[in-house]
């Protein structure tokens, strides 16, 4: 049985790296992961969506949309959500084969 890496599978069945379709796919996947993290942290802090919404000044429905990736999210909102959840946020940006890390 031949084995394939996840990247090989994505290249074969999604589309090659460097194309607009692949970039959009990867961005969508990252937003799904971010929504899952928001929900995980909220639940670990024993907060309802309504409680988290009140802490950051939005309605419960907005928290639901964030968790389910049904809305565009700003960096400011991400920072407010994780700050209210008392979670540390790190961004990792890759630029021309070098890494830049920023922590809040």
């Amino acid at each position: 049985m031949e084995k394939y890496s996840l990247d090989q599978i994505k290249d074969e069945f999604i589309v090659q790296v460097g194309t607009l379709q692949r970039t959009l796919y990867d961005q969508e996947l990252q937003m799904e992961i971010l929504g899952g993290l928001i929900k995980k942290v909220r639940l670990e802090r024993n907060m309802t969506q309504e409680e988290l919404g009140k802490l950051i000044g939005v309605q419960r429905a907005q928290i639901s949309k964030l968790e389910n990736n049904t809305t565009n999210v700003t960096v400011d909102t991400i920072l407010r959500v994780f700050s209210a959840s008392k979670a540390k946020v790190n961004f990792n940006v890759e630029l021309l084969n070098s890494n830049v890390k920023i922590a809040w």
Side-chain angles (χ1 to χ4, degrees):
M1 177 187 259
E2 195 168 346
K3 295 182 181 180
Y4 298 96
S5 71
L6 179 58
D7 285 335
Q8 288 172 317
I9 293 169
K10 288 194 294 188
D11 288 347
E12 178 73 24
F13 296 103
I14 305 298
V15 74
Q16 291 288 319
V17 171
T19 64
L20 177 60
Q21 288 175 306
R22 180 62 174 269
T23 300
L24 293 174
Y25 168 82
D26 288 338
Q27 289 173 346
E28 183 71 18
L29 182 59
Q30 290 169 353
M31 293 309 295
E32 287 286 335
I33 292 168
L34 182 60
L37 286 172
I38 290 170
K39 184 175 184 174
K40 180 180 180 187
V41 169
R42 177 181 61 78
L43 292 174
E44 285 180 0
R45 301 300 191 254
N46 295 314
M47 283 191 278
T48 64
Q49 290 177 338
E50 187 171 345
E51 290 169 333
L52 179 56
K54 284 181 181 179
L55 284 174
I56 67 168
V58 300
Q59 298 292 318
R60 183 209 57 80
Q62 181 67 19
I63 300 300
S64 177
K65 288 177 183 179
L66 291 173
E67 291 179 355
N68 293 298
N69 192 27
T70 58
T71 187
N72 288 328
V73 61
T74 64
V75 173
D76 179 59
T77 301
I78 293 168
L79 294 175
R80 289 188 349 221
V81 165
F82 287 118
S83 176
S85 302
K86 300 198 181 349
K88 184 177 178 181
V89 175
N90 291 303
F91 288 101
N92 184 29
V93 179
E94 292 183 28
L95 300 171
L96 301 174
N97 299 324
S98 63
N99 286 326
V100 177
K101 293 185 180 183
I102 302 170
W104 271 273

